[in-house]
Every structure is written in structure tokens, then in C-alpha cells.
Amino acid sequence: MDQYVVIVAGGSGKRMGSAIPKQFMELGGQPLLMHTIGAFYRFNPAMQIIVVLPKEQMYTWNSLVEKNAFYIPHQVAHGGETRFHSVKNGLQLIQGDGVVGIHDGVRPFVSLETLQRCYDTAAREGSAIPVILPVDSLRLLQENGHVMLARDKVRLVQTPQVFLSKLLKGAYEQAFTPDFTDDATVMEKMGHELQLVEGNRENIKITDPVDWRIAQFILEKGL
Amino acid sequence: MDQYVVIVAGGSGKRMGSAIPKQFMELGGQPLLMHTIGAFYRFNPAMQIIVVLPKEQMYTWNSLVEKNAFYIPHQVAHGGETRFHSVKNGLQLIQGDGVVGIHDGVRPFVSLETLQRCYDTAAREGSAIPVILPVDSLRLLQENGHVMLARDKVRLVQTPQVFLSKLLKGAYEQAFTPDFTDDATVMEKMGHELQLVEGNRENIKITDPVDWRIAQFILEKGL
């Protein structure tokens, strides 16, 4: 079955305290986003890779591709007003029928095993959401105070969230509502049941300088 | 107000895939547990520090203290059957009235700022639980399937969980039940309201080899 990925890279770098969008910051001599693209290319060099970028970052991206002699084939779609609209724009570049993953541009450390689990499960069952167990205890905030939340009942959600492309494209035909926080919630609104699969601990979302330092370390030494 | 900490170090090292209990594994030339003790000593050298260790690890700990010429004053209590019993044993070494933190032996990176917030708030309000916002989306498992859990309603709980010592000692007079997963739940069972304060991202619980590598990095370079 054909495989696709839509990599959403919309960050501005504000949380990193940087003027450069974080997906363009250099990690081990290469912009972060290229590491993320590379993870999918190594998993399946024949995969159709679509990168969604804010329109105003296109020029910078093209310069970076040239400067780094970045050879991995990919297409670029324009980002939309929200993540929902960005993903929708990316999906429009997919013609065929197959399995499509939606992935955060700032998660470069998704493992080959996680990708295998996600794409295999989605091909078979329609969907695959990679999750891990939280290490810490949890509290649930309520109107008055907060209560304990059983750790073993909670899962931390990673990406790629992977689906049969025809199901996901159908789900993205819905009207947008603000409670679409990720692709899982878009699919659920259509009544689809979602399969959880195991993610990998180092598949972190790089959002702030602490993550960035950890990412440098993972890249240098592996984990 | 007098300050105390009970550092609970009961791990066996199984999850680390090591024969040495993880609290004794060397991080930057010193057993992990000594780094943790050091964090509290740096915050307040006058603090009474109580370390709870499984009885069968006492000999090893004493040898490590000697070998490393470890100079930070501390007392040692024996671990009990569960975490609840271990904490209770540790609390029995506290004579005076003041503020007591209960801390995981494998969280060496609690910051001075977090300690300040915890001990100050507990002195004023009776309790302080350090928490951080999760970065990832969350799923709540249910009997049939799972649902989205709003990220901004959830907090990841760290330690030290800090309390007025007389309140905590009172709470630990209760009969043990298996739903006492941490000190917060023990206090809540007594009807105490708990204050949440901000923790620090790098205050991770070192539970597996991935955490261990991150810990080495934090120690070498800071974050």
C-alpha cells in the first residue's frame, strides 16, 4: 500500500527565544526539519513526503535546501490559519489511495520501529496513534481544586498519527471547529475508532530550549 | 521555620537493566543519590536530611559514603514494605515542628527555585506540590476505548511534595490503603487541600536508560 506523510512545520520560534523558526534551527549541522524528513525517508525512500510551511517561510526553506544540498525528494504545501487548515492543504497533494501519517516537524527522533508499528497498524485497522505511558503522577484540574488522575489510565500522544488516506481525507472535509486539537480528534468526530500503538520515549516534541539541548544530546550520542 | 527532607530511595535497578540499584549508579563520578542529597544541601545546609534505603542496601551505602568521602550530614532510615511505609519510617526521625519535603531519590535535578517555591508555599499554606504542564496531547483510557484529555487541565506531578510536618505526620497515622500513590493522596484522604506550585522541566525521575543518558547530559552541560 502506498505510504505518505504530511509534516507540519508551522512554528515561529517564539518559545525557543529565537528569531529563526525552530524547524529551521541547526541541529548537528542541519536544520531540524531536515532531520525529521530524513526519519521518514530512511523508513521508506519511496514514501511521498509533503512538508507544510507558512507561506512566508518558503523562501528561507528553499535557500536552506540549496545551501545544505538537501537531496530528499519532498513537496511543499502552504500552511493555513490553524493546524487543521495546514493539514488539509497538505492532504490535497495526495492523489492515490494508501496510508498517510501526519507528523510534527519538530519531532525528529521518531524511531523506525514506531514508524513500522504506525504504518502497519493503520494499513490493517484504519488508524494508529503512537502513545507512551507517563512517568510522573498526574493531577486533573477541576473547577474547585484538583484530583489525582491514575497514571496507568493516561497516555501521552506522539506523532505520526497514521490513517488510511481515504478516511482521513474524508474527515478533513468536515467544517473546522476549535476542538480539533489533533488528527485523532478530527477522525473521532467522524465516528472512527482509533488504534493506539506504542511510540518511543525519545520521540519528543522540541518546544523549548531544554528540549533543544536534549535533542543535541540525542543526536550526538544516540539514546 | 525548620526544614526537613525525606529522600526515598527504594529502587532495585531492574528497569535500568543493571545489577546495581539505580540510586547508587555513578553519574558524573558520584552515585546518583548523592547528587539528590546535594540539591537539598545547597538549598539549605541546615536542613535535616533523612534518606530512606532498603535495609539490604545499608552496607553498600555506607561503603559508598566512605569511598566518596561524602561529607553532607544525613540520617538513614530503613525502607518499608511500600513507599507509604518507607516515608512513615523516615518521618519518625523528625522531632521538631517545621516544613518537610518528601522527595524521590532519583530526581537529582530539582532546581533551587523549585525548592524555594515548595518550602515557602508549604510554610505559608500547609502544602506545596510541584507540577509542570504536559507537552504532548493526552488520551484517557476507558473501559471501551479512549478519549481526548484536555492538556491544559492536566499537570505532571514532581517532587518534593512539601507539607507542614505536623500535618503530614498526622496523615501518616492513617491505616495504609493501596490507593496511596504519593504523599498528596495521603494528605487528601485527611481532607487537606493541596497547593500546586511550578516545578522545573529538568526535574525528571530517572527510571530507564533513556533518562540516564539525558541525566548525564544535564550534568555535563547544564540545561
Side-chain angles (χ1 to χ4, degrees), chain B residues 10-22:
Chain B
S12 65
K14 268 179 223 146
R15 271 209 274 184
M16 295 289 289
S18 155
I20 306 172
K22 62 187 166 184

Side-chain angles (χ1 to χ4, degrees), chain A residues 139 153 188 201 208 211, chain B residues 139 141 188 201 208 211:
Chain A
R139 289 260 137 192
K153 292 275 185 287
E188 275 179 335
R201 281 287 300 282
D208 69 17
D211 305 317
Chain B
R139 289 261 139 192
L141 306 191
E188 274 179 334
R201 281 288 300 281
D208 69 17
D211 304 318

Side-chain angles (χ1 to χ4, degrees), chain A residues 9-26 31-33 53-54 56-58 60-61 64 106 206 212:
Chain A
S12 65
K14 269 179 222 147
R15 272 210 274 186
M16 296 289 289
S18 156
I20 306 173
K22 61 187 165 184
Q23 59 269 22
F24 294 163
M25 284 173 67
E26 286 211 355
L32 174 53
L33 183 55
L53 279 169
E56 62 275 17
Q57 293 180 12
M58 293 294 170
T60 310
W61 176 246
L64 288 170
V106 292
I206 299 175
W212 188 262

Side-chain angles (χ1 to χ4, degrees), chain B residues 23 31 42 45 53 72 90-91 93 116 118 133 148 189 206:
Chain B
Q23 59 269 24
R42 277 192 304 278
L53 279 170
I72 299 179
L91 289 175
L93 297 184
Q116 194 80 55
C118 287
L133 253 172
M148 204 256 293
K189 189 87 170 229
I206 299 176

Side-chain angles (χ1 to χ4, degrees), chain A residues 136-141 145-149, chain B residues 83 99-104 107 110 113-133 155-164 168 172 181-188 192-200 203:
Chain A
D136 298 304
S137 301
L138 301 167
R139 289 260 137 192
L140 181 65
L141 306 190
H146 47 88
V147 294
M148 203 257 294
L149 184 59
Chain B
R83 191 177 187 287
V99 190
V100 57
I102 311 295
H103 190 68
D104 295 327
R107 287 195 196 259
V110 58
E113 293 77 14
T114 296
L115 290 174
Q116 194 80 55
R117 283 189 290 270
C118 287
Y119 278 88
D120 284 359
T121 302
R124 208 173 51 236
E125 318 241 1
S127 66
I129 312 290
V131 298
I132 57 170
L133 253 172
R155 296 294 180 274
L156 306 179
V157 178
Q158 306 182 332
T159 69
Q161 302 189 354
V162 184
F163 310 95
L164 287 174
L168 188 65
Y172 268 90
T181 52
D182 60 1
D183 309 287
T185 48
V186 174
M187 286 287 283
E188 274 179 334
H192 295 301
E193 260 186 45
L194 303 177
Q195 297 301 318
L196 303 184
V197 301
E198 210 185 323
N200 58 292
N203 183 18

